[in-house]
């Protein structure tokens, strides 16, 4: 007796967004089914991983995270090159963490100059994150847009408080934007509507629904992400039919569980392996919730997730 | 449109296109058709022509082609004898004017390369900046889109004196507007007047001296057209998109100072295409009906001391106030602060003295924005412990303002004043009560600062519906009494208006999906007679919320055809809820507990459920912690009701809805209610009275059992029987 697998016909489809420029464009999105439900629809572009690069040498990372980058920390250009050359990064996510007014408060023009150098050094699509300070990000990301005109960077976070200034500048210099909202489907939709009203083209918007780390409210982030995706596919909610980015590496690597050494917490086991697994598991969860782009840190975690994506993309015989 | 204006504009356009043709012919002879022309350092060519027609003018030959189009666009001069609709021809004449002027200016760049400085600042020997290059446009244009600069004033001519010129310029700067200056009046230019008065001009101060000729007006219009292409994603040649973008987003207007020539008229007519009205200081004819522009098109004879305020009003520009300017801290953190007797410096209202707060709407001409008057002594004129009567009369005006919004604005006063550090505010209307602490007075707090608070916050929070706010604060007994009398009349009218509003009188209801973040399929339907179950949103609140935030959680729903008046079902509502609940809720009744009851989020004030033995309904409020006759406490019931599920027999309701004529109409209304916690019964007693009267059972509240009678059905049933509760003889609920 054959078993008929019940299938859902999805009415909606995620928009395809080209990232980067020229021959190195990578398209994300385009799904017409829930994540990896390849028996129900298509996922023309498997999820991608952007490797993190920081604008300054990180001071608060556990050694287990810093180790692969110890030789390049403090030199974002070399760091980005290493990600691409050594670890085969498909995309780079530049975290302008030092621009945070509560950190070094790096001025906007300096941050823009760093971004420019990184964008000149690598061909892969470049994501640029500010420090999530509404006012400072406005300054920084506007300067970044201007300095990297026409490179189709993916910049964010654009929040309710600064989407107009950054969004308009991004249109002016032809970049893609990440619309960021605090784990709330309605706010996510509203910001997308507002960006549309601002005339940001639909192929220049990525949803950043905010993602926490495993053990730190991930289930809530998962639900919101899943609902955004279901609303887009099943309920044809047009303003949610955008690819989703999950920017969680910075969350994972600051948790207590990855920072405690084996000496301090013998029950938790090998510290390095633990961190890698927590990052990889967080990634795996958000992949299943609908993330199209994962911002990740540890090369070994990335390899695990890449492998998993490959496995999940094999279409079973049905 | 005024025939005089149109005739002049069309005449002016003919002259300007003629001039352009002559210049173009001369230049063609001298340089040939392949000679490159254009504005410096721009990828937008001649931006108006490029933006509107999509034609990149690169050479004199291209310019010639555009001029041929101009001639086709030019309407015939208006005849003295024939009366026709003039608007469309005038607008086309205006458009042809700008195309021709761009060509004139482009040829000027060719023939006199150093006519303009081509920089951000004027030079000692040349103050004319000319067209903004792309670097300036990118830097400044984005400000138009993100709101740092809402728009610009295109000033033609000059003010009568340099002092007036300075005053106008400063007023415009204060509103964050750019001032684009061109042309002259009797040989004088505004730019020169400002320089003479020692004012620094140039892009950095937003006082831009474009050029001495009226044709330099195209630099302003070109700037706006380019901003739409650069930051608005508008494609070259998408003239409708570009013009609409400018109308909707760039708050610009033309301000001719001095004699309006035919050429000026032509430019003004052109600007109307972009939705930019003209505000003139001379007595030219007015064009008041709304059409292309958001409001009026031409407003004239405006005195210089009012011209900026008038321009802002006519263009519909909103005032942005970023900070509440008072000597104390301000914010929600201070809302819950109490001022105790020992800290008290001054108090008013609250039964101690007369006190009243009133917000009313007035005509735009009757309100001067930001005006705060103190009538009677302020805190610096009294001693500690003195008491004064108090009245705050807030007068607002706005293009989108409706009298229905008054009570909603008025209700904000409570929290807005409470946000001030060191001030306590309780109550509203004529039962308001303010206490001012000693610490606040030490910091320099005065009653008139309350006016500043309300002015700033009204603009910040309700800018979409109001344009002007003025405040009068009275501590003079006689005047307070006057305000109080006026207020009492208005309160009565407002109450009657709300009372008179029924579900039948309104065609539009509102949705509330604010809680979908945690109850994804929940959709509240708010009708005039059924407030949101949280008690926080009534129909009027939703109307305002929608005006303020059109993409927000409160959307208007056309109720459409009535499916069942008793259950409270309408086609429009059903369709909306089906969609907004993501296909989860197929039908909803506004007035029923048993048939397709409304879903609930989790924020309801009360839960209503059935008591089968008593054939009635019980309601329990959130604050009641005890057991109820249905065998569940509020918290357990809340779990049954919430989360966006439809559970027949369980319903989230607001306290207000209990005393509505539509309360569970399908089940028989208030008559069905057999049990309420005593605290709830007392709270709503006053509002129950009229309903009970209408039911013909004035003593009905006495028939309702409460927690002092019993908390099980068995305990309350004998009580109901003894009182002869009507529910016992009504149709069975199930």
């Amino acid at each position: 007796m054959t078993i008929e697998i019940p299938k859902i016909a999805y009415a909606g489809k995620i928009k395809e967004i080209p990232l980067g420029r020229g021959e190195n464009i990578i398209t994300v999105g385009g799904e017409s089914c829930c994540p990896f439900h390849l028996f129900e629809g298509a996922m023309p572009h498997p999820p991608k991983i952007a490797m993190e690069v920081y604008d300054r040498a990180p001071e608060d990372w556990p050694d287990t995270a810093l180790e692969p980058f110890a030789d390049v920390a403090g030199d974002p250009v070399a760091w980005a090159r290493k990600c691409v050359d050594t670890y085969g990064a498909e995309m780079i996510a530049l975290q302008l963490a030092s621009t945070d007014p509560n950190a070094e408060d790096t001025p906007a023009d300096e941050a823009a100059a760093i971004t420019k150098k990184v964008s000149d050094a690598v061909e892969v699509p470049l994501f640029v994150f500010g420090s999530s300070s509404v006012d400072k990000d406005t300054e920084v990301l506007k300067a970044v847009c201007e300095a990297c005109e026409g490179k189709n960077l993916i910049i964010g976070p654009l929040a309710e408080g600064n989407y107009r200034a950054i969004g308009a500048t991004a249109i002016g210099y032809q970049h893609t934007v990440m619309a960021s909202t605090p784990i709330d489907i309605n706010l996510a939709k509203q910001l997308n509507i507002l960006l549309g009203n601002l005339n940001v083209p639909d192929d220049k918007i990525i949803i950043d629904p905010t993602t926490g780390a495993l053990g730190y409210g991930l289930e809530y982030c998962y639900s919101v992400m899943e609902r955004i995706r279901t609303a887009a596919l099943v309920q044809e909610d047009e303003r949610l039919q955008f690819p989703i980015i999950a920017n969680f590496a910075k969350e994972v690597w600051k948790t207590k569980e990855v920072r405690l050494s084996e000496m301090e917490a013998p029950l938790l086991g090998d510290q390095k392996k633990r961190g890698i697994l927590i990052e990889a598991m967080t990634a795996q969860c958000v992949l299943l919730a609908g993330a199209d782009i994962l911002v990740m840190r540890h090369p070994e975690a990335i390899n695990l997730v890449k492998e998993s994506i490959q496995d999940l993309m094999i279409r079973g015989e049905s | 449109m005024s025939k005089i204006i149109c005739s002049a504009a069309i005449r002016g356009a003919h002259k300007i296109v003629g001039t352009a043709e002559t210049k173009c012919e001369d230049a063609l002879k001298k340089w040939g058709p392949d000679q490159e022309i254009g504005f410096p350092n721009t990828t937008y060519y001649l931006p108006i022509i490029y933006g509107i027609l999509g034609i990149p003018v690169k050479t004199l030959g291209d310019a010639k082609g555009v001029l041929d189009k101009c001639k086709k666009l030019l309407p015939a001069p208006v005849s003295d004898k024939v009366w026709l609709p003039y608007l469309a021809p005038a607008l086309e004449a205006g458009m042809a004017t700008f195309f021709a002027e761009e060509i004139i200016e482009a040829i000027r760049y060719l023939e006199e390369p150093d006519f303009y400085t081509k920089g951000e600042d004027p030079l000692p020997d040349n103050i004319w900046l000319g067209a903004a290059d792309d670097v300036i446009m990118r830097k400044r244009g984005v400000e138009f889109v993100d709101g740092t600069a809402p728009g610009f004033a295109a000033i033609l001519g000059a003010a009568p004196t340099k002092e007036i010129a300075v005053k106008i310029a400063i007023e415009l700067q204060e509103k964050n507007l750019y001032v684009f200056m061109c042309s002259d009046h009797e040989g004088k230019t505004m730019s020169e007047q400002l320089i003479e008065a020692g004012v620094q001009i140039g892009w950095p101060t937003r006082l831009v001296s474009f050029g001495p000729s009226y044709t330099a007006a195209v630099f302003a219009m070109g700037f706006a057209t380019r901003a739409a292409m650069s930051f608005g994603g508008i494609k070259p040649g998408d003239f409708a998109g570009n013009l609409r973008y400018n109308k909707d987003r760039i708050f610009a207007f033309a301000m001719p100072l001095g004699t309006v020539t035919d050429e000026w008229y032509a430019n003004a007519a052109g600007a109307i295409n972009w939705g930019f009205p003209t505000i003139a200081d001379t007595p030219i004819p007015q064009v008041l009906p709304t059409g292309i522009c958001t409001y009026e098109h031409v407003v004239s004879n405006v005195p210089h001391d009012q011209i900026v305020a008038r321009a802002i009003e006519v263009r519909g520009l909103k005032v942005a106030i970023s900070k509440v300017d008072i000597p104390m801290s301000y914010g929600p953190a201070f809302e819950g602060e109490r001022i105790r007797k020992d800290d008290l410096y001054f108090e008013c209202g609250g039964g101690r003295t007369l006190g009243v707060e009133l917000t009313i709407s007035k005509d735009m001409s009757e309100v001067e924005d930001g005006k705060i008057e103190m009538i009677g002594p302020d805190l610096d004129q009294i001693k500690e412990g003195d008491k004064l009567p108090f009245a705050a009369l807030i007068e607002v005006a706005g293009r989108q303002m409706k009298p229905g919004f008054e009570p909603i604005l008025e209700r904000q006063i409570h929290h807005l004043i409470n946000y001030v550090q060191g001030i306590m505010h309780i109550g509203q209307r004529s039962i308001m009560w303010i206490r001012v602490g000693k610490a606040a007075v030490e910091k320099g707090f005065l009653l008139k600062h309350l006016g500043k608070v309300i002015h700033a916050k009204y603009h910040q929070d309700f800018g979409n519906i109001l344009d002007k706010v003025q405040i009068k604060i009275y501590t003079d007994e006689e005047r307070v009494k006057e305000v109080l009398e006026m207020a009492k009349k208005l309160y009565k009218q407002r109450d009657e208006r709300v009372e008179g509003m029924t579900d039948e009188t309104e065609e539009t209801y509102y949705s509330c999906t604010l809680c979908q973040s945690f109850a994804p399929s929940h959709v509240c339907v708010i009708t005039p007679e059924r407030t949101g179950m949280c008690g926080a949103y009534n129909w009027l609140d939703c109307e305002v919320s929608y005006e303020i935030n059109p993409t927000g959680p409160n959307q208007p729903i056309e109720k459409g055809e009535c499916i069942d008046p008793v259950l409270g079902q309408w086609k429009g509502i059903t369709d909306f809820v089906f969609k907004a609940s993501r296909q989860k809720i197929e039908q909803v009744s506004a007035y029923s507990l048993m048939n397709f009851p409304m879903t609930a989020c989790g924020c309801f004030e009360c839960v209503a459920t059935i008591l089968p033995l008593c054939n009635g309904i019980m309601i329990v409020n959130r604050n009641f912690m005890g057991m109820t006759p249905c065998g569940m406490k509020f918290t357990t019931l809340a779990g049954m009701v919430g989360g966006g599920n439809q559970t027949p027999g369980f319903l989230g309701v607001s306290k207000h809805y209990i005393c509505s004529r539509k309360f569970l109409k399908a089940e028989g209304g208030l008559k069905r209610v057999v049990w309420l916690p005593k605290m709830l019964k007392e709270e709503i007693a006053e509002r129950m009275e009229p309903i009970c009267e209408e039911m013909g059972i004035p003593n009905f509240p006495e028939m309702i059992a409460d927690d002092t009678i019993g908390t099980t059905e068995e305990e309350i049933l004998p009580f109901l029987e003894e009182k002869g509760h009507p529910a016992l003889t009504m149709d069975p609920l199930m």
Side-chain angles (χ1 to χ4, degrees), chain B residues 161-465:
Chain B
T161 67
K162 64 174 190 273
E163 288 75 24
I164 294 174
V166 171
K167 197 171 163 292
I168 290 175
I170 288 175
E171 265 189 77
L172 290 165
Q173 277 177 313
E174 281 170 356
K175 305 290 182 202
N176 299 325
L177 291 160
Y178 276 89
V179 182
F180 291 159
M181 298 171 288
C182 66
S183 198
D184 70 291
H185 169 63
E186 293 171 352
K188 276 189 297 180
T189 69
M190 170 110 165
S191 307
E192 286 160 340
Q193 284 180 319
L194 293 179
I195 290 175
E196 273 171 41
V199 176
Q200 192 194 345
I201 65 168
W203 282 97
T205 55
R206 299 192 174 180
L207 302 171
V208 183
S209 46
F210 269 139
S213 156
Y214 61 84
T215 50
V218 288
F219 297 144
M221 300 308 294
F223 193 82
T225 311
R226 270 197 292 171
M229 285 190 276
S230 183
F231 299 107
I234 307 283
K235 299 274 170 290
D238 176 10
F239 58 91
N242 201 311
L243 300 179
R244 198 175 304 118
Y245 186 92
N246 273 284
K247 178 196 167 192
D248 292 344
R249 294 166 204 246
I250 298 193
F251 290 91
F253 47 87
M255 190 185 280
L257 300 176
T259 316
V260 179
T261 62
D262 287 353
E263 288 83 351
W264 283 17
Y265 274 121
N267 276 285
I272 288 172
N273 285 298
W274 274 252
F276 302 163
T278 291
I279 292 85
D281 64 344
T282 50
I284 59 172
Q286 305 206 94
V287 181
L288 300 180
T290 302
I292 313 293
C293 297
T294 311
Y295 303 118
E296 293 85 6
H297 293 89
V298 180
V299 173
S300 65
N301 209 13
V302 183
H304 292 110
D305 59 346
Q306 294 166 23
I307 199 160
V308 173
R310 189 85 177 103
I312 280 163
E313 180 201 322
V314 170
R315 184 61 186 95
L317 175 64
K318 296 294 176 183
V319 181
I321 297 169
S322 53
K323 195 175 164 289
V324 179
D325 183 20
I326 53 171
M328 279 83 60
S329 299
Y330 187 83
F334 306 108
E335 189 180 5
E337 204 183 11
R338 317 300 291 180
I339 307 294
R340 299 186 201 285
K341 245 193 184 137
D342 297 342
D343 306 323
L344 182 67
Y345 187 88
F346 165 82
E347 64 181 329
C348 58
R352 285 142 180 88
T353 67
L354 287 179
V356 60
E357 294 161 355
L358 182 66
T359 299
I360 54 172
S361 57
K362 301 219 116 181
D363 190 77
M364 286 291 266
S365 60
E366 294 175 280
V367 180
E368 184 185 324
D369 187 47
K371 186 169 161 190
I372 296 163
E373 283 177 276
M374 184 72 215
I375 299 124
D378 207 329
L379 295 183
D380 51 356
Q381 290 151 282
I382 61 162
K383 298 193 302 293
E384 182 180 330
D386 282 359
K387 292 188 173 82
L388 288 171
F390 177 89
L393 176 63
I394 296 114
E395 294 168 317
V396 301
R399 300 275 187 168
Q400 308 295 327
M401 185 67 200
K402 296 178 189 167
F405 298 161
E406 291 170 357
I408 292 171
L409 292 171
E410 188 179 292
R411 220 167 53 200
Q412 313 302 319
I413 298 173
H414 169 64
H415 79 263
L416 296 183
I417 292 185
N418 253 336
Y419 280 7
V420 182
Q421 184 187 21
I423 311 289
M424 180 177 97
H425 184 281
I426 288 176
Q428 51 173 328
R429 288 192 167 180
S430 55
I431 58 163
M432 54 74 61
W433 176 21
I434 293 178
R435 279 188 152 186
V436 180
K438 288 173 190 162
V441 177
E442 275 162 28
K443 281 191 175 173
F445 176 77
L446 297 171
L447 291 176
K448 74 167 187 211
H449 289 131
L450 297 177
K452 287 201 169 185
V453 168
I454 292 166
H455 174 256
K457 293 304 286 181
Y458 268 18
H459 273 297
Q460 276 177 14
D461 297 350
F462 299 95
N464 278 20
I465 54 175

